[in-house]
Amino acid sequence: MANKFDQNDDSVVVIVGSGAGGGTLGNELAQKGVKVVILEAGKRHEIPDFINDEWASFAQLAWKDMRTTSGTWRVHKDFPNLPAWIVKSVGGSTVHWAGASLRFQPHEFKAKTTYGTLAGASLLDWPITLEEMEPYYAKAEYKMGTTGTNNIPRLPGNNNYKVLEAGARKIGYKEVHTGNMSINSQPRDGRGACQQIGFCFQGCKSGGKWSTLYTEIPKGEATGNLEVRPACMALHIEHDASGKVTGVVYADANGQHQRQKARIVAVAGNSIESPRLLLNSASSKYPDGMANSSGQVGRNYLRHMTGSVYAVFERPVHMYRGTTMAGIVRDEARLDTSRGFVGGYELETLSLGLPFMAAFLNPGAWGRPFTSALDDYANMAGLWIVGEDMPRETNRVTLDPVAKDQYGLPVASVHFDDHDNDVAMRNHAYKQGAAIYDAVGAVRTFPTPPYPSTHNMGTNRMSENPRDGVVNKYGQTHDIKNLFVSDGSQFTTGAACNPTLTIVSLAIRQADNMTAMMKRGEI
Amino acid sequence: MREIDKRTRVSRRTVLRGGAAAVPAAALASGGFVAAAISADAAWAQDASHLTPHTMASLVRMARDIYPHDHLADIYYVNAIKPYDAQAGGDAALRTMLEEGIARLDADSQNRHGVTYIGLAWEEQRVGVLRANEDTPFFKKVRSDLIVTLYNQKAVWPKFGYEGASADKGGYIHRGFNDIDWLSSV
Ligand SMILES: Cc1cc2nc3c(=O)[nH]c(=O)nc-3n(C[C@H](O)[C@H](O)[C@H](O)COP(=O)(O)OP(=O)(O)OC[C@H]3O[C@@H](n4cnc5c(N)ncnc54)[C@H](O)[C@@H]3O)c2cc1C
Ligand code: SF4
């Protein structure tokens, strides 16, 4: 397909990645009349292409290019080359996200001030407050059609939710409902309502769930200002003698190197590829990688304190029927250090199909203790734990000194060790999760270890002081005026909630500020 | 609530169509039952062209011992192991790994019990031999492959009460997404 915008057109904004951050920013800019080219490494798979089959869908959508790992996290042992579950496809991880859309709590923008200094943690306050974010959260919820906001009714509870709710109420939890989900509970914005298909992680075949693939991107394209180039992998960013970025070199579908000139470059490849791209863009002017004078690019990698609890009951549950994550208990998200840790966590319904359950229930396990659990698959209920994890300088994405990808570039290597606070919080959550299910007659519960990371954050963090992070409060890099970061890697800290609503809100806000800076002639 | 029938159904139609999702023809040869137990004499073991029948049979035994589900017939474990034969044809290193891996299990078993691995009558004894080998690359490979080759067979899904694809059936909105009926009694 011919390019819409000329590769020598240096008035375009080039965005790397078409997911939650990149896809939203692209549409927002296009609506304001700014010309945008999105480079997306993955192909364009539309709704009819999605497959209701876990492994086949994984093969179709997931990022499978080489990555390496190290550290004491169990993912390193069980899935050494799959640190994260991220989509490589137009729409990015919003193709397979579950839709849970929560706002940060006020104190979660002030983690350092609130939690104080913790040994082994590099806590920092965000340079923004909840009050500043509120109008953007509201815009994002409206855009995404989040249930429980804008008078949109919540989704009906499925079997898995009903078990969670009954157990949670029995042990005294109060804030229990089917969540704030960016999934249509009724037709809205030209998309139908959720059909309770149950394959939210494999791409929503009804289109009821918000994804940039079939909302932001086509809306942006309709303005004539947005061009998405699928199967185009950004390799490095270029700059001129003054240090300003001038364009992006990428490999097209045939592996040919191409160069797109740019007025501004915005990096939104998710929190492993974004720092990798900056590090792979090292030059004689920027020997440690782009925007990395602080040495913070790739550091403070966050993945949320997670884990799951599955429980077996005497009678069937069929947890896989219906919306995967429409169910939440929020009581433990509060700040209450008497529990033995700072921060908090949410409990959200989760189900996996039989193939993924076999792979993730207890990776590496075998024999009857394991198979007897699967034998009761139909009688299982499940929940996922999402808690705030502590940033650590040593949890980081670096360039692997040996492994190269198909383009000959060093791959990302992800190092992670749990902080003691993460471990204390996980143990608390395992206990509470099991108590919920025990209260409604569970005969067996399983404290299931974290999966490859689905929430990746923090590796180009926002900071007031350029010494402490990579970008300022607008996602603009401290070092280079016309280079931005637009995805979850901007997070200063992770809060106790799913990240995408905040990523989308930041992208809407960034579009406002970027266009204002353009008008003022600053960039 | 709507429950799943976990029994194996062998309808005339699936036999006539040779439906891949149903029990394969081999399993029906003797009237719907798998003829031989897991042994090197079984047709599927004798049919192997790159691995020895003994290795094939031992691998299937091993698959059952690693992931034992008493409600699954042997044929699903045979299906899970069978692809190794063709792969071993094009991959000498794999063939060596599998043949030597089984030889080592046999040697271990001979040392402890005086019979080969597959000759051990009690699962407990066979599992003991496997445990002693669970850190070998051979065991790790077979175990991790089985996670996909066994559990990703669509024909086994209903036996665990998993219904698979649902979009083509209109999702679960009218098929029991919220039909749990026993919670009020606990
Ligand atoms: C199973 C699952 C369920 C989830 N459920 C939820 C949920 O309920 N709620 C929630 O808030 N979050 C959820 N998430 C997380 C959510 O999907 C991500 O946080 C979010 O999509 C991240 O947005 P992003 O813009 O940072 O990156 P992404 O959406 O991942 O987009 C990054 C894109 O950049 C592309 N890219 C990367 N590098 C390059 C390059 N060099 N050149 C070109 N393109 C490149 C990638 O191919 C990808 O398409 C879930 C994730 C998973 C895996
Ligand atoms: S359950 Fe609803 S949101 Fe999830 S895939 Fe199905 S229709 Fe989409």
Side-chain angles (χ1 to χ4, degrees):
Chain A
M1 206 169 65
N3 291 334
K4 185 173 169 62
F5 294 114
D6 194 283
Q7 290 181 315
N8 289 315
D9 183 347
D10 58 7
S11 70
V12 302
V13 174
V14 173
I15 301 175
V16 177
S18 61
T24 304
L25 178 66
N27 180 33
E28 290 289 316
L29 291 175
Q31 299 295 337
K32 295 175 196 293
V34 178
K35 287 187 283 182
V36 179
V37 172
I38 295 184
L39 301 175
E40 168 53 58
K43 295 185 185 147
R44 191 158 182 159
H45 300 285
E46 301 286 357
I47 290 176
D49 305 328
F50 297 155
I51 312 168
N52 271 194
D53 178 324
E54 291 176 313
W55 284 119
S57 174
F58 185 85
Q60 179 187 49
L61 298 173
W63 184 284
K64 297 180 294 297
D65 295 6
M66 178 58 117
R67 284 171 177 155
T68 58
T69 53
S70 61
T72 51
W73 56 330
R74 197 171 147 180
V75 168
H76 168 55
K77 174 170 162 279
D78 297 329
F79 308 99
N81 300 115
L82 189 71
W85 184 12
I86 289 174
V87 167
K88 179 182 181 179
S89 188
V90 173
S93 304
T94 67
V95 173
H96 74 177
W97 78 312
S101 304
L102 302 167
R103 296 185 180 195
F104 276 36
Q105 303 169 79
H107 71 268
E108 290 172 328
F109 283 104
K110 302 187 182 92
K112 176 82 187 280
T113 306
T114 314
Y115 307 151
T117 303
L118 259 73
S122 49
L123 281 167
L124 196 67
D125 288 351
W126 284 65
I128 344 174
T129 61
L130 180 62
E131 298 79 73
E132 280 174 86
M133 282 298 287
E134 264 166 353
Y136 292 99
Y137 273 136
K139 284 187 184 174
E141 287 161 345
Y142 183 78
K143 181 195 273 298
M144 299 162 86
T146 308
T147 62
T149 76
N150 296 287
N151 293 319
I152 302 169
R154 292 193 203 276
L155 288 160
N158 67 354
N159 290 338
N160 199 23
Y161 170 70
K162 289 183 171 184
V163 176
L164 178 83
E165 182 190 34
R169 296 223 184 273
K170 272 204 172 162
I171 67 167
Y173 284 138
K174 297 281 184 286
E175 206 179 334
V176 187
H177 51 71
T178 61
N180 297 95
M181 304 296 292
S182 296
I183 295 180
N184 280 350
S185 55
Q186 55 196 24
R188 187 178 182 278
D189 198 24
R191 295 178 291 115
C194 171
Q195 299 300 304
Q196 302 287 340
I197 295 171
F199 283 87
C200 306
F201 291 175
Q202 281 70 38
C204 176
K205 286 193 79 78
S206 83
K209 179 186 82 179
W210 179 85
S211 168
T212 55
L213 173 65
Y214 40 80
T215 59
E216 305 310 303
I217 289 169
K219 284 180 187 182
E221 286 171 331
T223 65
N225 296 325
L226 171 63
E227 177 190 347
V228 178
R229 286 186 206 152
C232 288
M233 170 80 183
L235 305 176
H236 63 266
I237 302 167
E238 295 186 315
H239 63 81
D240 62 16
S242 77
K244 268 176 49 179
V245 298
T246 53
V248 179
V249 173
Y250 64 96
D252 67 15
N254 304 315
Q256 300 295 317
H257 286 202
Q258 307 283 351
R259 172 181 293 108
Q260 176 64 55
K261 291 195 174 165
R263 174 173 178 180
I264 295 167
V265 173
V267 180
N270 206 323
S271 300
I272 296 179
E273 289 308 309
S274 287
R276 176 186 177 220
L277 178 61
L278 294 177
L279 295 172
N280 270 334
S281 301
S283 64
S284 53
K285 187 169 181 71
Y286 300 122
D288 299 323
M290 257 186 196
N292 197 22
S293 66
S294 61
Q296 293 288 312
V297 169
R299 291 189 188 271
N300 310 302
Y301 171 64
L302 300 165
R303 61 184 306 268
H304 275 145
M305 183 291 293
T306 73
S308 309
V309 178
Y310 292 96
V312 164
F313 295 86
E314 272 183 279
R315 306 198 35 200
V317 177
H318 303 297
M319 65 174 169
Y320 56 85
R321 290 184 189 162
T323 327
T324 307
M325 203 170 262
I328 192 166
V329 177
R330 303 209 62 185
D331 300 56
E332 299 287 0
R334 72 189 191 279
L335 175 65
D336 169 9
T337 50
S338 73
R339 293 173 298 180
F341 51 86
V342 300
Y345 62 88
E346 313 272 3
L347 301 170
E348 301 174 350
T349 58
L350 179 71
S351 73
L352 299 177
L354 182 78
F356 273 16
M357 188 58 86
F360 295 114
L361 177 64
N362 189 5
W366 59 278
R368 290 201 182 258
F370 176 76
T371 53
S372 62
L374 289 184
D375 283 339
D376 286 320
Y377 175 79
N379 295 13
M380 269 188 191
L383 62 80
W384 194 53
I385 306 160
V386 193
E388 176 162 14
D389 58 339
M390 289 299 112
R392 313 188 74 178
E393 288 224 309
T394 47
N395 286 344
R396 65 188 286 208
V397 174
T398 53
L399 298 178
D400 191 289
V402 183
K404 302 256 195 316
D405 70 2
Q406 62 268 45
Y407 308 105
L409 290 178
V411 306
S413 184
V414 185
H415 179 95
F416 190 86
D417 304 301
D418 277 321
H419 190 274
D420 289 346
N421 195 75
D422 307 346
V423 176
M425 193 193 293
R426 184 177 296 115
N427 288 336
H428 190 271
Y430 277 153
K431 221 175 83 226
Q432 293 309 108
I436 287 176
Y437 291 132
D438 286 341
V440 278
V443 291
R444 196 173 167 194
T445 55
F446 307 91
T448 298
Y451 312 124
S453 318
T454 55
H455 297 175
N456 299 278
M457 301 159 294
T459 48
N460 293 305
R461 72 178 179 180
M462 268 191 192
S463 64
E464 187 72 56
N465 189 325
R467 246 193 357 239
D468 301 327
V470 179
V471 299
N472 67 16
K473 63 192 293 188
Y474 305 118
Q476 182 181 32
T477 61
H478 289 302
D479 294 355
I480 306 172
K481 265 186 166 176
N482 65 338
L483 176 63
F484 288 73
V485 174
S486 314
D487 60 13
S489 65
Q490 300 171 81
F491 281 33
T492 311
T493 51
C497 67
N498 316 55
T500 305
L501 181 74
T502 304
I503 296 174
V504 171
S505 305
L506 288 171
I508 300 172
R509 181 171 174 273
Q510 186 175 71
D512 280 358
N513 289 298
M514 197 188 281
T515 39
M517 291 179 208
M518 288 166 88
K519 281 206 186 97
R520 294 196 298 265
E522 293 169 18
I523 49 177
Chain B
M1 58 195 299
R2 185 172 64 81
E3 295 195 23
I4 314 304
D5 186 352
K6 297 183 181 176
R7 289 167 305 178
T8 304
R9 265 164 302 167
V10 187
S11 75
R12 270 175 64 89
R13 256 180 80 229
T14 43
V15 175
L16 291 175
R17 281 194 316 206
V23 179
L28 304 168
S30 55
F33 297 100
V34 179
I38 297 175
S39 106
D41 298 331
W44 48 260
Q46 293 289 326
D47 283 351
S49 26
H50 303 288
L51 295 171
T52 67
H54 174 73
T55 296
M56 278 300 284
S58 303
L59 285 169
V60 171
R61 181 75 266 168
M62 188 178 163
R64 259 218 108 99
D65 289 338
I66 293 177
Y67 292 124
H69 293 286
D70 297 340
H71 56 88
L72 291 187
D74 290 339
I75 190 67
Y76 302 109
Y77 294 92
V78 174
N79 288 345
I81 291 298
K82 232 178 181 165
Y84 278 148
D85 184 47
Q87 286 164 26
D91 181 346
L94 173 69
R95 187 167 133 195
T96 307
M97 176 189 248
L98 296 173
E99 295 285 2
E100 286 181 358
I102 293 298
R104 182 168 158 186
L105 288 189
D106 283 344
D108 269 18
S109 179
Q110 290 283 5
N111 276 341
R112 293 170 182 225
H113 306 288
V115 288
T116 59
Y117 164 73
I118 201 171
L120 286 169
W122 284 93
E123 179 179 314
E124 211 177 308
Q125 294 178 317
R126 294 191 305 271
V127 166
V129 173
L130 293 178
R131 282 269 169 237
N133 282 273
E134 70 181 337
D135 291 327
T136 62
F138 160 70
F139 181 93
K140 286 186 179 165
K141 172 162 178 59
V142 173
R143 190 208 59 74
S144 69
D145 288 347
L146 279 171
I147 281 288
V148 179
T149 56
L150 178 63
Y151 296 108
N152 208 32
Q153 294 177 47
K154 290 195 167 74
V156 313
W157 294 352
K159 295 169 177 301
F160 290 88
Y162 178 56
E163 296 171 81
S166 92
D168 54 330
K169 303 183 188 72
Y172 289 105
I173 194 159
H174 303 301
R175 293 190 313 128
F177 80 101
N178 61 355
D179 65 355
I180 195 163
D181 55 11
W182 50 262
L183 273 169
S184 54
S185 62
V186 292

